Amino acid sequence: MASLATARRIVESARCAKKKRPAKPARNPAYPTKAEIVLTLLEQFKFVHSYIHVKMVAADALYGTGDFLDKASAIFGGVQVVSQVRSNQKVGFRNKLISVTQYFQYYRGQVQELKIRGGELVKADVGSARLYVEAHEKKRFVIALKYQGEQEYRYLVASDLSWRTIDIVQGYTFRWLAEVFFEDWKLYQGWGQLTKQLDDDGSSRSLILSLLLDHCLLAHPQQLARLENKLPAATVGSLLEKTRVESLLNFINSLLAADNPQQKLARLAKAVEEVFQLAPSKKHLVNKDLGRLKPSPSLFFRAKAALSAG
């Protein structure tokens, strides 16, 4: 009964009007938000790499607030900042506020050809307008974008109203490069599975190791040749695969050139056996104590009484 009363109090507090709720506690500065962390990183980047000219900052929907757009733009001297807003975001239209979705139902876009990260041409439905965004308390460049084959629109918001629509949309496609880094970091380089340390040390050290690996791959002869001849660099995944194959071929060559190949191969087999050991699977429940996993006849009447009382 005590748990039922607690649940009722939780439901009643959730129904309480916002004006009757206690004031939101002040945020502890020792625990900044993700947006605050990113702004700090942008300031550090500008300080350390002052020679790099930033033309645009692209961020995902988590950073689509007015505060983030204004502060990120100011860090680099007023550059364009592009993010996403929710479909129910309110914008000004004919002296009233309506959702972004409703606005672009009135003013549908047109099919345009876009370059994805400066390469592939694709077609998309694109609509745009300079609208007052209520949450930002100012006018923004708002864009409705839907690539062919998609069912739903996504809505972009940009800080600089002087850009062309197509330049904003094509510039925002470069945000996907962050996902490419995550793919390299987790899948090809394996840091997602190999990271054992937690907290700040674990995240920063694995990142440093991954960047060191990237720099090592830049020294690969074929990668150097590409860079020196102004060609696109090879991907991390393809370089790692090629390096593995080259390492195998080098070993085979050294084995064939050895005075006693059989003895060398036996030493390698023993080392492999010691390093690569099989681990028991946790999803196979052989020799596990699973408990009774069935009703107890002695508790049948107690259960029946509890149901009738509830």
Side-chain angles (χ1 to χ4, degrees):
M1 294 301 292
S3 61
L4 181 59
T6 303
R8 284 175 178 169
R9 285 198 298 271
I10 293 173
V11 172
E12 289 171 359
S13 63
R15 292 175 180 171
C16 180
K18 187 175 181 180
K19 62 182 180 181
K20 295 182 179 180
R21 298 174 192 170
K24 183 179 180 180
R27 177 174 287 277
N28 188 335
Y31 300 93
T33 64
K34 287 186 178 181
E36 291 170 342
I37 293 172
V38 170
L39 290 171
T40 302
L41 291 174
L42 290 176
E43 290 175 345
Q44 292 175 354
F45 178 86
K46 181 186 177 183
F47 177 77
V48 176
H49 304 286
S50 57
Y51 55 91
I52 295 180
H53 177 59
V54 176
K55 294 184 177 180
M56 188 182 107
V57 176
D60 61 23
L62 180 64
Y63 308 98
T65 63
D67 184 66
F68 179 84
L69 264 66
D70 292 336
K71 289 182 178 179
S73 178
I75 289 173
F76 296 104
V79 300
Q80 179 71 283
V81 181
V82 185
S83 183
Q84 289 185 236
V85 292
R86 300 187 306 273
S87 60
N88 62 352
Q89 188 73 262
K90 299 296 184 182
V91 296
F93 176 65
R94 294 181 180 176
N95 298 322
K96 63 180 180 179
L97 294 173
I98 63 173
S99 69
V100 177
T101 303
Q102 289 175 306
Y103 177 85
F104 285 105
Q105 286 175 348
Y106 294 126
Y107 297 96
R108 294 187 176 276
Q110 298 178 346
V111 177
Q112 295 190 33
E113 277 195 337
L114 308 173
K115 282 186 177 180
I116 303 298
R117 292 178 287 282
E120 178 188 2
L121 275 174
V122 300
K123 290 184 178 181
D125 295 330
V126 182
S128 64
R130 294 167 179 84
L131 301 171
Y132 176 82
V133 180
E134 181 189 26
H136 293 200
E137 298 182 347
K138 62 174 59 179
K139 274 195 172 184
R140 298 294 195 192
F141 205 132
V142 183
I143 298 173
L145 173 65
K146 182 178 71 171
Y147 293 105
Q148 288 195 345
E150 293 182 339
Q151 300 298 322
E152 301 291 336
Y153 277 93
R154 70 194 69 185
Y155 301 97
L156 309 183
V157 59
S159 61
D160 191 336
L161 306 181
S162 64
W163 280 40
R164 298 186 308 168
T165 301
I166 192 169
D167 295 330
I168 295 173
V169 175
Q170 291 184 155
Y172 191 71
T173 63
F174 289 101
R175 195 210 68 81
W176 186 254
L177 294 177
E179 308 299 333
V180 175
F181 167 79
F182 293 142
E183 182 182 26
D184 289 342
W185 188 80
K186 290 182 178 180
L187 180 62
Y188 295 114
Q189 298 181 0
W191 300 113
Q193 290 78 31
L194 295 177
T195 301
K196 303 303 180 186
Q197 285 183 287
L198 303 177
D199 301 323
D200 294 341
D201 286 343
S203 60
S204 61
R205 289 177 182 177
S206 59
L207 177 61
I208 293 171
L209 287 171
S210 70
L211 292 174
L212 288 173
L213 177 56
D214 286 346
H215 281 289
C216 290
L217 292 174
L218 289 175
H220 191 281
Q222 294 192 20
Q223 186 77 300
L224 283 175
R226 284 174 169 270
L227 297 175
E228 290 171 356
N229 290 281
K230 309 297 182 183
L231 296 174
T235 64
V236 169
S238 62
L239 277 173
L240 287 174
E241 290 175 358
K242 189 170 184 62
T243 303
R244 292 188 186 106
V245 173
E246 289 174 344
S247 299
L248 177 61
L249 291 176
N250 289 335
F251 169 74
I252 293 174
N253 286 331
S254 65
L255 186 64
L256 294 175
D259 295 334
N260 192 338
Q262 291 183 341
Q263 184 180 3
K264 186 173 183 178
L265 187 60
R267 288 200 305 268
L268 175 65
K270 184 178 180 181
V272 168
E273 188 67 25
E274 293 175 353
V275 173
F276 298 98
Q277 296 186 4
L278 297 178
S281 173
K282 292 183 178 180
K283 66 182 180 181
H284 296 100
L285 304 178
V286 179
N287 298 325
K288 300 291 184 180
D289 183 5
L290 304 181
R292 293 180 65 245
L293 299 179
K294 62 181 181 179
S296 296
S298 61
L299 299 176
F300 173 77
F301 293 103
R302 183 179 294 182
K304 186 176 181 180
L307 289 173
S308 61

